[in-house]
Amino acid sequence: MSQRLFAIRGATGAENNAESIRKNVCEMCLALFRENKLTAGDFVSIQFTITDDLDTLNPAAALRKGQDEFDVSSIPLFCSQEPKVLGSPEKMIRVMITVYMDEEAVPVPVYINGGEKLRPDFAKKI
């Protein structure tokens, strides 16, 4: 079966403390990995953005150190600050994972813990 490159999006809200960021980033990412049936070999990279009101923990570090369920040690992780745009939701962490999946796959985004307001059309109960 042939494969192609996909970018899968997600978002989560968090409080400005390390435990909340770690918990919500791990929950969002593990849901993305499960929902899309991903293995470590499928990944190209994981990119995060974080709003400027969340400054206690980098989401990439949170994922790398915050869970034992999925080995992300060989996946390049990156984080940058979300642009500040008037009226944008606060305390948000967004992610875009770039992966190879079967050509016919239908990527499943995950928007949780307040991230649903960014894309209500993609909101999913997990």
Short mmCIF file of all heavy atoms in Angstrom, two decimals, residues 68-125:
data_model
loop_
_atom_site.label_atom_id
_atom_site.label_comp_id
_atom_site.label_asym_id
_atom_site.label_seq_id
_atom_site.Cartn_x
_atom_site.Cartn_y
_atom_site.Cartn_z
N ASP A 68 4.90 8.07 29.44
CA ASP A 68 5.68 6.86 29.20
C ASP A 68 5.01 5.94 28.18
O ASP A 68 5.55 4.91 27.83
CB ASP A 68 5.86 6.07 30.50
CG ASP A 68 6.65 6.86 31.53
OD1 ASP A 68 7.61 7.55 31.14
OD2 ASP A 68 6.30 6.79 32.71
N GLU A 69 3.85 6.35 27.71
CA GLU A 69 3.03 5.49 26.85
C GLU A 69 3.57 5.38 25.43
O GLU A 69 3.36 4.38 24.76
CB GLU A 69 1.61 6.08 26.78
CG GLU A 69 0.54 5.07 27.03
CD GLU A 69 -0.82 5.73 27.03
OE1 GLU A 69 -1.13 6.44 27.99
OE2 GLU A 69 -1.55 5.54 26.06
N PHE A 70 4.24 6.42 24.94
CA PHE A 70 4.65 6.48 23.54
C PHE A 70 6.06 7.06 23.48
O PHE A 70 6.31 8.15 24.01
CB PHE A 70 3.67 7.38 22.76
CG PHE A 70 3.77 7.25 21.27
CD1 PHE A 70 2.95 6.38 20.58
CD2 PHE A 70 4.68 8.01 20.56
CE1 PHE A 70 3.04 6.26 19.20
CE2 PHE A 70 4.78 7.90 19.18
CZ PHE A 70 3.95 7.03 18.49
N ASP A 71 6.98 6.37 22.84
CA ASP A 71 8.36 6.83 22.76
C ASP A 71 8.51 7.90 21.69
O ASP A 71 8.40 7.62 20.50
CB ASP A 71 9.29 5.66 22.46
CG ASP A 71 10.75 6.05 22.40
OD1 ASP A 71 11.10 7.18 22.82
OD2 ASP A 71 11.55 5.22 21.93
N VAL A 72 8.74 9.14 22.12
CA VAL A 72 8.92 10.25 21.18
C VAL A 72 10.39 10.67 21.07
O VAL A 72 10.71 11.68 20.45
CB VAL A 72 8.05 11.48 21.57
CG1 VAL A 72 6.58 11.16 21.49
CG2 VAL A 72 8.43 12.02 22.94
N SER A 73 11.30 9.87 21.64
CA SER A 73 12.71 10.26 21.72
C SER A 73 13.37 10.44 20.35
O SER A 73 14.32 11.21 20.22
CB SER A 73 13.50 9.27 22.56
OG SER A 73 13.47 7.99 21.97
N SER A 74 12.87 9.78 19.33
CA SER A 74 13.48 9.90 18.00
C SER A 74 12.73 10.88 17.09
O SER A 74 13.10 11.05 15.93
CB SER A 74 13.55 8.53 17.33
OG SER A 74 12.24 8.04 17.09
N ILE A 75 11.69 11.52 17.60
CA ILE A 75 10.88 12.44 16.80
C ILE A 75 11.34 13.87 17.04
O ILE A 75 11.40 14.31 18.19
CB ILE A 75 9.38 12.31 17.17
CG1 ILE A 75 8.89 10.87 16.97
CG2 ILE A 75 8.54 13.29 16.33
CD1 ILE A 75 7.53 10.60 17.56
N PRO A 76 11.68 14.62 15.98
CA PRO A 76 12.03 16.02 16.17
C PRO A 76 10.82 16.81 16.69
O PRO A 76 9.74 16.74 16.11
CB PRO A 76 12.43 16.51 14.78
CG PRO A 76 12.73 15.27 14.01
CD PRO A 76 11.85 14.21 14.59
N LEU A 77 11.02 17.53 17.79
CA LEU A 77 9.96 18.35 18.39
C LEU A 77 10.40 19.81 18.34
O LEU A 77 11.58 20.10 18.52
CB LEU A 77 9.72 17.95 19.85
CG LEU A 77 9.40 16.49 20.13
CD1 LEU A 77 9.23 16.27 21.62
CD2 LEU A 77 8.17 16.03 19.38
N PHE A 78 9.43 20.71 18.14
CA PHE A 78 9.75 22.13 18.05
C PHE A 78 8.59 22.93 18.62
O PHE A 78 7.43 22.52 18.49
CB PHE A 78 9.97 22.52 16.58
CG PHE A 78 10.42 23.94 16.39
CD1 PHE A 78 11.75 24.29 16.62
CD2 PHE A 78 9.54 24.92 16.01
CE1 PHE A 78 12.17 25.60 16.45
CE2 PHE A 78 9.95 26.22 15.84
CZ PHE A 78 11.27 26.57 16.06
N CYS A 79 8.90 24.07 19.22
CA CYS A 79 7.85 24.94 19.76
C CYS A 79 8.17 26.39 19.43
O CYS A 79 9.32 26.81 19.48
CB CYS A 79 7.76 24.77 21.28
SG CYS A 79 6.45 25.78 22.01
N SER A 80 7.12 27.15 19.13
CA SER A 80 7.27 28.59 18.94
C SER A 80 6.05 29.27 19.56
O SER A 80 5.05 28.63 19.89
CB SER A 80 7.39 28.96 17.46
OG SER A 80 6.25 28.54 16.75
N GLN A 81 6.16 30.58 19.72
CA GLN A 81 5.06 31.33 20.31
C GLN A 81 4.02 31.63 19.24
O GLN A 81 4.34 32.04 18.14
CB GLN A 81 5.55 32.62 20.94
CG GLN A 81 4.46 33.33 21.72
CD GLN A 81 5.01 34.49 22.52
OE1 GLN A 81 6.07 34.38 23.11
NE2 GLN A 81 4.30 35.58 22.53
N GLU A 82 2.77 31.42 19.60
CA GLU A 82 1.65 31.75 18.72
C GLU A 82 1.61 33.27 18.54
O GLU A 82 1.80 34.01 19.49
CB GLU A 82 0.35 31.25 19.38
CG GLU A 82 -0.89 31.45 18.57
CD GLU A 82 -1.00 30.50 17.39
OE1 GLU A 82 -0.39 29.42 17.40
OE2 GLU A 82 -1.71 30.87 16.44
N PRO A 83 1.35 33.75 17.33
CA PRO A 83 1.22 35.20 17.15
C PRO A 83 0.09 35.76 18.01
O PRO A 83 -0.94 35.12 18.18
CB PRO A 83 0.87 35.36 15.67
CG PRO A 83 1.25 34.08 15.03
CD PRO A 83 1.15 33.03 16.08
N LYS A 84 0.31 36.92 18.56
CA LYS A 84 -0.71 37.57 19.39
C LYS A 84 -1.67 38.30 18.45
O LYS A 84 -1.27 39.24 17.75
CB LYS A 84 -0.06 38.54 20.37
CG LYS A 84 -1.02 39.05 21.42
CD LYS A 84 -0.25 39.69 22.55
CE LYS A 84 -1.19 40.20 23.61
NZ LYS A 84 -1.56 39.16 24.56
N VAL A 85 -2.90 37.84 18.42
CA VAL A 85 -3.92 38.41 17.54
C VAL A 85 -5.10 38.82 18.41
O VAL A 85 -5.60 38.01 19.20
CB VAL A 85 -4.36 37.40 16.46
CG1 VAL A 85 -5.47 37.98 15.60
CG2 VAL A 85 -3.17 36.98 15.60
N LEU A 86 -5.52 40.04 18.27
CA LEU A 86 -6.63 40.57 19.05
C LEU A 86 -7.84 39.64 18.97
O LEU A 86 -8.26 39.24 17.88
CB LEU A 86 -7.00 41.97 18.54
CG LEU A 86 -7.99 42.75 19.39
CD1 LEU A 86 -7.41 43.03 20.78
CD2 LEU A 86 -8.32 44.07 18.71
N GLY A 87 -8.37 39.26 20.12
CA GLY A 87 -9.55 38.41 20.18
C GLY A 87 -9.29 36.92 20.11
O GLY A 87 -10.22 36.13 20.20
N SER A 88 -8.03 36.52 19.96
CA SER A 88 -7.72 35.09 19.92
C SER A 88 -7.88 34.48 21.30
O SER A 88 -7.64 35.14 22.31
CB SER A 88 -6.28 34.88 19.45
OG SER A 88 -6.15 35.19 18.10
N PRO A 89 -8.25 33.20 21.36
CA PRO A 89 -8.38 32.54 22.65
C PRO A 89 -7.05 32.51 23.40
O PRO A 89 -5.98 32.38 22.80
CB PRO A 89 -8.80 31.11 22.29
CG PRO A 89 -9.39 31.22 20.93
CD PRO A 89 -8.65 32.34 20.25
N GLU A 90 -7.14 32.64 24.71
CA GLU A 90 -5.95 32.62 25.56
C GLU A 90 -5.69 31.20 26.05
O GLU A 90 -6.55 30.33 25.98
CB GLU A 90 -6.18 33.54 26.76
CG GLU A 90 -6.37 34.99 26.36
CD GLU A 90 -6.67 35.88 27.55
OE1 GLU A 90 -7.06 35.37 28.62
OE2 GLU A 90 -6.54 37.11 27.40
N LYS A 91 -4.47 31.00 26.56
CA LYS A 91 -4.05 29.74 27.19
C LYS A 91 -4.28 28.54 26.27
O LYS A 91 -4.86 27.54 26.66
CB LYS A 91 -4.75 29.56 28.53
CG LYS A 91 -4.37 30.64 29.52
CD LYS A 91 -5.02 30.43 30.85
CE LYS A 91 -4.57 31.54 31.81
NZ LYS A 91 -5.25 31.48 33.08
N MET A 92 -3.78 28.66 25.04
CA MET A 92 -3.94 27.61 24.03
C MET A 92 -2.60 27.06 23.60
O MET A 92 -1.63 27.79 23.44
CB MET A 92 -4.63 28.17 22.78
CG MET A 92 -6.10 28.42 22.89
SD MET A 92 -7.01 26.86 22.95
CE MET A 92 -7.94 27.16 24.43
N ILE A 93 -2.58 25.77 23.38
CA ILE A 93 -1.44 25.08 22.81
C ILE A 93 -1.95 24.38 21.55
O ILE A 93 -2.91 23.61 21.61
CB ILE A 93 -0.86 24.04 23.79
CG1 ILE A 93 -0.43 24.73 25.09
CG2 ILE A 93 0.30 23.29 23.14
CD1 ILE A 93 -0.15 23.79 26.23
N ARG A 94 -1.31 24.69 20.44
CA ARG A 94 -1.68 24.08 19.17
C ARG A 94 -0.55 23.14 18.75
O ARG A 94 0.61 23.36 19.09
CB ARG A 94 -1.89 25.15 18.11
CG ARG A 94 -3.08 26.05 18.38
CD ARG A 94 -3.02 27.27 17.46
NE ARG A 94 -4.18 28.14 17.56
CZ ARG A 94 -4.32 29.12 18.45
NH1 ARG A 94 -3.37 29.36 19.34
NH2 ARG A 94 -5.40 29.87 18.46
N VAL A 95 -0.90 22.13 17.97
CA VAL A 95 0.10 21.19 17.50
C VAL A 95 -0.18 20.85 16.03
O VAL A 95 -1.34 20.85 15.59
CB VAL A 95 0.13 19.89 18.36
CG1 VAL A 95 -1.14 19.08 18.19
CG2 VAL A 95 1.35 19.06 18.07
N MET A 96 0.88 20.60 15.31
CA MET A 96 0.77 20.04 13.96
C MET A 96 1.79 18.92 13.88
O MET A 96 3.00 19.14 14.04
CB MET A 96 1.06 21.08 12.88
CG MET A 96 0.90 20.51 11.48
SD MET A 96 0.94 21.74 10.16
CE MET A 96 2.61 22.33 10.30
N ILE A 97 1.28 17.71 13.70
CA ILE A 97 2.17 16.57 13.54
C ILE A 97 2.24 16.24 12.06
O ILE A 97 1.24 16.25 11.35
CB ILE A 97 1.73 15.36 14.40
CG1 ILE A 97 0.34 14.87 14.02
CG2 ILE A 97 1.77 15.70 15.87
CD1 ILE A 97 -0.06 13.59 14.73
N THR A 98 3.45 16.00 11.60
CA THR A 98 3.68 15.64 10.21
C THR A 98 4.07 14.17 10.19
O THR A 98 5.04 13.77 10.85
CB THR A 98 4.78 16.51 9.60
OG1 THR A 98 4.45 17.89 9.82
CG2 THR A 98 4.91 16.28 8.10
N VAL A 99 3.29 13.38 9.47
CA VAL A 99 3.45 11.93 9.49
C VAL A 99 3.20 11.33 8.11
O VAL A 99 2.54 11.92 7.27
CB VAL A 99 2.47 11.27 10.49
CG1 VAL A 99 2.77 11.64 11.92
CG2 VAL A 99 1.03 11.60 10.15
N TYR A 100 3.74 10.13 7.94
CA TYR A 100 3.40 9.32 6.77
C TYR A 100 2.31 8.34 7.20
O TYR A 100 2.41 7.70 8.24
CB TYR A 100 4.61 8.54 6.26
CG TYR A 100 5.56 9.42 5.48
CD1 TYR A 100 6.70 9.93 6.07
CD2 TYR A 100 5.28 9.75 4.15
CE1 TYR A 100 7.57 10.74 5.35
CE2 TYR A 100 6.14 10.57 3.43
CZ TYR A 100 7.28 11.06 4.04
OH TYR A 100 8.12 11.87 3.34
N MET A 101 1.26 8.29 6.37
CA MET A 101 0.16 7.35 6.61
C MET A 101 -0.23 6.76 5.26
O MET A 101 0.16 7.27 4.21
CB MET A 101 -1.04 8.06 7.25
CG MET A 101 -0.75 8.58 8.64
SD MET A 101 -2.03 9.63 9.44
CE MET A 101 -3.56 9.10 8.83
N ASP A 102 -1.03 5.68 5.31
CA ASP A 102 -1.52 5.10 4.08
C ASP A 102 -2.22 6.17 3.26
O ASP A 102 -2.90 7.04 3.80
CB ASP A 102 -2.48 3.95 4.37
CG ASP A 102 -1.78 2.74 4.96
OD1 ASP A 102 -0.56 2.59 4.74
OD2 ASP A 102 -2.45 1.96 5.65
N GLU A 103 -2.04 6.08 1.96
CA GLU A 103 -2.55 7.07 1.02
C GLU A 103 -4.05 7.35 1.21
O GLU A 103 -4.50 8.48 1.08
CB GLU A 103 -2.28 6.56 -0.40
CG GLU A 103 -2.40 7.57 -1.47
CD GLU A 103 -1.87 7.02 -2.78
OE1 GLU A 103 -2.19 5.86 -3.12
OE2 GLU A 103 -1.15 7.77 -3.45
N GLU A 104 -4.81 6.33 1.55
CA GLU A 104 -6.26 6.48 1.70
C GLU A 104 -6.69 6.90 3.10
O GLU A 104 -7.88 7.06 3.38
CB GLU A 104 -6.97 5.15 1.37
CG GLU A 104 -6.80 4.68 -0.05
CD GLU A 104 -5.44 3.97 -0.25
OE1 GLU A 104 -4.91 3.37 0.70
OE2 GLU A 104 -4.92 4.04 -1.37
N ALA A 105 -5.75 7.10 3.99
CA ALA A 105 -6.07 7.44 5.38
C ALA A 105 -6.82 8.77 5.44
O ALA A 105 -6.64 9.66 4.61
CB ALA A 105 -4.81 7.53 6.21
N VAL A 106 -7.66 8.88 6.44
CA VAL A 106 -8.38 10.13 6.73
C VAL A 106 -7.88 10.62 8.09
O VAL A 106 -8.22 10.03 9.11
CB VAL A 106 -9.90 9.92 6.75
CG1 VAL A 106 -10.63 11.21 7.11
CG2 VAL A 106 -10.38 9.36 5.42
N PRO A 107 -7.03 11.66 8.10
CA PRO A 107 -6.48 12.14 9.37
C PRO A 107 -7.58 12.60 10.33
O PRO A 107 -8.58 13.20 9.91
CB PRO A 107 -5.61 13.32 8.96
CG PRO A 107 -5.32 13.11 7.52
CD PRO A 107 -6.53 12.41 6.96
N VAL A 108 -7.38 12.32 11.61
CA VAL A 108 -8.33 12.69 12.65
C VAL A 108 -7.70 13.75 13.54
O VAL A 108 -6.76 13.46 14.29
CB VAL A 108 -8.74 11.47 13.50
CG1 VAL A 108 -9.72 11.87 14.59
CG2 VAL A 108 -9.31 10.36 12.61
N PRO A 109 -8.17 15.01 13.46
CA PRO A 109 -7.65 16.05 14.36
C PRO A 109 -8.23 15.87 15.75
O PRO A 109 -9.26 15.22 15.93
CB PRO A 109 -8.14 17.34 13.72
CG PRO A 109 -9.35 16.95 12.94
CD PRO A 109 -9.16 15.51 12.54
N VAL A 110 -7.56 16.46 16.75
CA VAL A 110 -8.03 16.38 18.13
C VAL A 110 -7.99 17.78 18.74
O VAL A 110 -6.92 18.38 18.85
CB VAL A 110 -7.17 15.41 18.97
CG1 VAL A 110 -7.55 15.48 20.45
CG2 VAL A 110 -7.33 13.97 18.45
N TYR A 111 -9.15 18.30 19.08
CA TYR A 111 -9.30 19.61 19.73
C TYR A 111 -10.04 19.38 21.04
O TYR A 111 -11.22 19.01 21.03
CB TYR A 111 -10.07 20.57 18.83
CG TYR A 111 -9.25 21.03 17.65
CD1 TYR A 111 -9.05 20.23 16.54
CD2 TYR A 111 -8.65 22.29 17.66
CE1 TYR A 111 -8.28 20.65 15.47
CE2 TYR A 111 -7.88 22.72 16.59
CZ TYR A 111 -7.70 21.89 15.51
OH TYR A 111 -6.91 22.32 14.46
N ILE A 112 -9.33 19.58 22.17
CA ILE A 112 -9.89 19.25 23.48
C ILE A 112 -9.57 20.33 24.51
O ILE A 112 -8.76 21.23 24.25
CB ILE A 112 -9.36 17.88 23.97
CG1 ILE A 112 -7.82 17.89 24.06
CG2 ILE A 112 -9.86 16.76 23.09
CD1 ILE A 112 -7.23 16.64 24.69
N ASN A 113 -10.17 20.21 25.67
CA ASN A 113 -9.86 21.06 26.83
C ASN A 113 -9.91 22.56 26.51
O ASN A 113 -9.05 23.32 26.92
CB ASN A 113 -8.48 20.71 27.42
CG ASN A 113 -8.38 19.27 27.83
OD1 ASN A 113 -9.34 18.70 28.34
ND2 ASN A 113 -7.25 18.65 27.59
N GLY A 114 -10.92 22.95 25.76
CA GLY A 114 -11.05 24.35 25.36
C GLY A 114 -10.57 24.62 23.95
O GLY A 114 -10.90 25.65 23.37
N GLY A 115 -9.77 23.73 23.39
CA GLY A 115 -9.31 23.88 22.01
C GLY A 115 -10.44 23.78 21.00
O GLY A 115 -10.31 24.25 19.87
N GLU A 116 -11.57 23.22 21.43
CA GLU A 116 -12.72 23.07 20.54
C GLU A 116 -13.18 24.41 19.97
O GLU A 116 -13.70 24.47 18.86
CB GLU A 116 -13.90 22.42 21.28
CG GLU A 116 -13.61 21.07 21.87
CD GLU A 116 -13.08 21.13 23.30
OE1 GLU A 116 -12.64 22.20 23.76
OE2 GLU A 116 -13.12 20.08 23.96
N LYS A 117 -12.99 25.49 20.73
CA LYS A 117 -13.46 26.80 20.24
C LYS A 117 -12.66 27.28 19.03
O LYS A 117 -13.13 28.12 18.29
CB LYS A 117 -13.44 27.83 21.36
CG LYS A 117 -12.11 28.09 22.00
CD LYS A 117 -12.26 29.03 23.18
CE LYS A 117 -11.16 28.77 24.19
NZ LYS A 117 -11.45 29.28 25.49
N LEU A 118 -11.47 26.71 18.83
CA LEU A 118 -10.67 27.08 17.66
C LEU A 118 -11.23 26.46 16.39
O LEU A 118 -11.21 27.08 15.33
CB LEU A 118 -9.22 26.65 17.84
CG LEU A 118 -8.47 27.33 18.97
CD1 LEU A 118 -7.13 26.64 19.21
CD2 LEU A 118 -8.26 28.80 18.64
N ARG A 119 -11.69 25.23 16.49
CA ARG A 119 -12.24 24.51 15.34
C ARG A 119 -13.41 23.64 15.78
O ARG A 119 -13.29 22.44 15.92
CB ARG A 119 -11.16 23.62 14.71
CG ARG A 119 -10.04 24.32 14.00
CD ARG A 119 -10.48 25.16 12.80
NE ARG A 119 -11.21 24.43 11.79
CZ ARG A 119 -10.67 23.94 10.67
NH1 ARG A 119 -9.39 24.11 10.43
NH2 ARG A 119 -11.42 23.30 9.80
N PRO A 120 -14.58 24.26 16.01
CA PRO A 120 -15.74 23.47 16.45
C PRO A 120 -16.09 22.35 15.48
O PRO A 120 -16.61 21.31 15.89
CB PRO A 120 -16.87 24.49 16.54
CG PRO A 120 -16.23 25.83 16.46
CD PRO A 120 -14.87 25.67 15.88
N ASP A 121 -15.76 22.54 14.20
CA ASP A 121 -16.04 21.52 13.21
C ASP A 121 -15.20 20.26 13.41
O ASP A 121 -15.55 19.19 12.94
CB ASP A 121 -15.86 22.07 11.80
CG ASP A 121 -14.51 22.75 11.57
OD1 ASP A 121 -13.96 23.32 12.53
OD2 ASP A 121 -14.02 22.74 10.43
N PHE A 122 -14.07 20.38 14.12
CA PHE A 122 -13.21 19.24 14.37
C PHE A 122 -13.28 18.75 15.81
O PHE A 122 -12.59 17.80 16.17
CB PHE A 122 -11.75 19.58 14.07
CG PHE A 122 -11.45 19.73 12.61
CD1 PHE A 122 -10.47 20.62 12.20
CD2 PHE A 122 -12.11 19.00 11.66
CE1 PHE A 122 -10.16 20.77 10.86
CE2 PHE A 122 -11.82 19.14 10.31
CZ PHE A 122 -10.84 20.02 9.91
N ALA A 123 -14.06 19.40 16.65
CA ALA A 123 -14.14 19.02 18.06
C ALA A 123 -14.58 17.56 18.16
O ALA A 123 -15.49 17.13 17.45
CB ALA A 123 -15.10 19.92 18.81
N LYS A 124 -13.93 16.85 19.02
CA LYS A 124 -14.20 15.41 19.15
C LYS A 124 -14.10 15.03 20.61
O LYS A 124 -13.16 15.41 21.29
CB LYS A 124 -13.18 14.64 18.33
CG LYS A 124 -13.33 13.15 18.40
CD LYS A 124 -12.28 12.52 17.50
CE LYS A 124 -12.29 11.04 17.60
NZ LYS A 124 -13.30 10.39 16.88
N LYS A 125 -15.06 14.29 21.07
CA LYS A 125 -14.99 13.75 22.42
C LYS A 125 -14.10 12.52 22.41
O LYS A 125 -14.25 11.65 21.58
CB LYS A 125 -16.39 13.36 22.91
CG LYS A 125 -17.31 14.54 23.08
CD LYS A 125 -16.94 15.34 24.28
CE LYS A 125 -17.96 16.44 24.49
NZ LYS A 125 -17.43 17.62 25.09
#
